[in-house]
Amino acid sequence: MLNLAVVLSGAVSLGAFEAGAVYELVLAEQAGLRSGQNALRIDVLVGSSAGAMTASQAAYCLQTGTDPQSLYTAWVDLASLDRLMPRGQETWRGNSLLSGRAVQELADQVFVPPGSSPGAPAVTWPIRLVVTLTSIEGAQYYVTRRDKSRLPVWSYADAMTFRLAPQSYDPELWDRIKKAAIASGAFPVALPPVPMTRKPEDFVIQDTGSENGEVTLTYYDGGVINNRPFGLAVDAVLDLAPPGGPVAPHTFVLIEPDPPELRPPKPHPSSYDMVDVGVAAFATAFRHDSLYEDFVNFVRVNDRLAIADELTKAMARALAAAGPEAAQLFYDELQPRLAAVGARAARTAGIDVQTWVSQALVRSRRRVAMSLPSVQNQGSKMMESLAVMRLLVDMAAGLESKEAFEASRVSPADPANELAGIFFGHFGGFLERRFREHDFMLGRWYMNRWLQEHGITYESNAAWPGDPPRGLAQVSWRTKVQCLWIVVRGLALAGAQVWKRIRGLSGRLV
């Protein structure tokens, strides 16, 4: 069984590539459920911006047994510039260039209540769906210090975790998911921000300073701060495990249409102008460091688990050489200490100490058996001694709730020459349907190949879509006029807002 945690980055119109890749994942999952020989288990979906919208759709298809064709409908048929053009009163609002109402209508068409007889099998396991957000105002929290005083802190990065029960549909929950996905996809300036009321349990730090703990914040593109939320996927996998219980080994797959490339250094520091420095300071470094930090932690945990495995092997050799009495003495000395060291972890998990110790030892026995398959033939006391030792080592190293994971990325081999919607800052796909259809089929082809490489076989018609159509030469004159109108309107709105602020500032100075 391949346990899969899917991470979807922000991608603007290249979300069509991500949707195609996820289409293949859902297709493979439902094919396995239908045949009763399922070799794939998708239980974590995490997304930012356009990836949040696609992750939410995928979770909906898996939980309700909906045909993944809805992904094609959303990203190929409906995500067009013509539909996103502002109309009526939206034309004169100054907080976005495109229509927020159109995005809401698109979501309403995709997230419809499931019928009485789903078109495909629904999954029989819980799913964790995580959507990243960025708030305009920033959330204020209070951290209680040792002297009981409260220290205010602020955070603009946010996320919402949704725990989806198998084979069930909660309309209120899906309304919240839909709103969160729209907020995460609200690209700054292009789409309007979305206000949301959050509850204390939504936050890591639950002291928000308000009387009832609820806070209303205005959210926009979740990819601004955390565009590739790999670390949140790890947290979601750990959240699936029972308190103190084993964590199922997972493979993490990051679906990213256009991964960043390392820019070659310029010959002299003076070669960098203000634009270069500004982009590096406010966009490039800020957005990409989150994935670097997540991967550093990922590798660090894997390395520490490997060291713990080697220590377990060394202790097994020492106990085997000393004889059965040594294993008994070792166990008698260390076992009573488990209750003391596990008390805090048990309180955090909300269970009694003995239950926590019992569940934690199950995971330790599994780790010992994986690193030393032959130890099971050396007597139960040897296994118990090593399990107790391993649990104490893992707790000292902060590894008792960690697992070694595998990670990979699904991306085009040559994004610049394979993606149709890559131009116009990744907005190009919104201009023509055939651009989006090409990228959708490209995502299907790459994910189908990845699944085959990992031993997942199923019936699919995914095929190489050929060379991409793209560029303004492929765009109709009507669409070109719409683009020009958006640019002119944006400049007019921005100019009016800047002039209003200048007048207000000059009035205060006088």
Side-chain angles (χ1 to χ4, degrees), residues 370-385:
M370 289 177 64
S371 58
L372 287 165
S374 61
V375 77
Q376 299 181 66
N377 301 324
Q378 299 181 29
S380 60
K381 193 55 63 179
M382 172 69 83
M383 168 61 84
E384 290 303 308
S385 299

Side-chain angles (χ1 to χ4, degrees), residues 427-507:
F427 275 88
F430 294 133
L431 304 185
E432 290 287 339
R433 183 185 186 279
R434 52 188 170 151
F435 295 172
R436 301 188 298 277
E437 184 169 35
H438 173 277
D439 291 346
F440 185 92
M441 296 306 297
L442 186 69
R444 286 191 59 187
W445 186 82
Y446 270 104
M447 181 53 75
N448 176 264
R449 190 175 70 168
W450 186 90
L451 286 168
Q452 290 183 22
E453 290 172 353
H454 286 76
I456 307 297
T457 57
Y458 61 103
E459 186 176 346
S460 172
N461 62 351
W464 178 255
D467 294 332
R470 67 171 179 212
L472 287 177
Q474 305 285 337
V475 177
S476 68
W477 275 106
R478 183 174 182 272
T479 302
K480 291 176 183 177
V481 171
Q482 287 178 325
C483 291
L484 180 61
W485 185 86
I486 290 173
V487 172
V488 171
R489 175 175 173 268
L491 292 174
L493 289 173
Q497 292 171 11
V498 170
W499 176 243
K500 181 179 179 180
R501 282 167 169 75
I502 290 175
R503 290 183 62 187
L505 179 61
S506 62

Side-chain angles (χ1 to χ4, degrees), residues 207-220:
D207 186 357
T208 58
S210 64
E211 292 184 5
N212 60 1
E214 292 187 352
V215 179
T216 299
L217 297 169
T218 309
Y219 288 105
Y220 64 105

Side-chain angles (χ1 to χ4, degrees), residues 251-452:
T251 295
F252 292 77
V253 55
L254 173 62
I255 303 175
E256 190 169 27
D258 187 22
E261 295 182 354
L262 188 64
R263 296 176 59 186
K266 292 190 175 182
H268 192 273
S270 61
S271 303
Y272 293 99
D273 57 23
M274 287 190 294
V275 174
D276 291 326
V277 177
V279 169
F282 298 110
T284 308
F286 191 58
R287 287 166 64 89
H288 299 329
D289 253 31
S290 61
L291 183 65
Y292 166 78
E293 292 172 3
D294 289 341
F295 266 81
V296 166
N297 291 331
F298 187 88
V299 171
R300 186 179 292 127
V301 168
N302 283 356
D303 288 346
R304 284 188 292 171
L305 284 168
I307 293 171
D309 285 342
E310 291 303 316
L311 182 60
T312 302
K313 294 175 183 178
M315 185 59 67
R317 289 193 295 270
L319 290 177
E325 293 184 0
Q328 181 66 53
L329 290 172
F330 192 81
Y331 176 82
D332 293 341
E333 178 67 26
L334 293 182
Q335 202 279 337
R337 303 180 188 274
L338 289 179
V341 298
R344 182 176 179 180
R347 285 196 302 271
T348 302
I351 57 178
D352 64 86
V353 175
Q354 294 304 320
T355 301
W356 184 90
V357 169
S358 176
Q359 293 176 344
L361 282 174
V362 170
R363 181 162 53 202
S364 290
R365 293 187 192 100
R366 179 175 60 83
R367 288 180 171 176
V368 171
M370 289 177 64
S371 58
L372 287 165
S374 61
V375 77
Q376 299 181 66
N377 301 324
Q378 299 181 29
S380 60
K381 193 55 63 179
M382 172 69 83
M383 168 61 84
E384 290 303 308
S385 299
L386 291 174
V388 170
M389 183 276 298
R390 180 59 188 262
L391 178 55
L392 291 171
V393 169
D394 287 345
M395 292 187 68
L399 298 172
E400 73 277 5
S401 62
K402 308 294 185 183
E403 286 291 342
F405 298 128
E406 297 294 332
S408 62
R409 174 187 269 141
V410 173
S411 301
D414 186 4
N417 293 311
E418 293 179 14
L419 290 164
I422 197 169
F423 66 106
F424 271 179
H426 296 175
F427 275 88
F430 294 133
L431 304 185
E432 290 287 339
R433 183 185 186 279
R434 52 188 170 151
F435 295 172
R436 301 188 298 277
E437 184 169 35
H438 173 277
D439 291 346
F440 185 92
M441 296 306 297
L442 186 69
R444 286 191 59 187
W445 186 82
Y446 270 104
M447 181 53 75
N448 176 264
R449 190 175 70 168
W450 186 90
L451 286 168
Q452 290 183 22

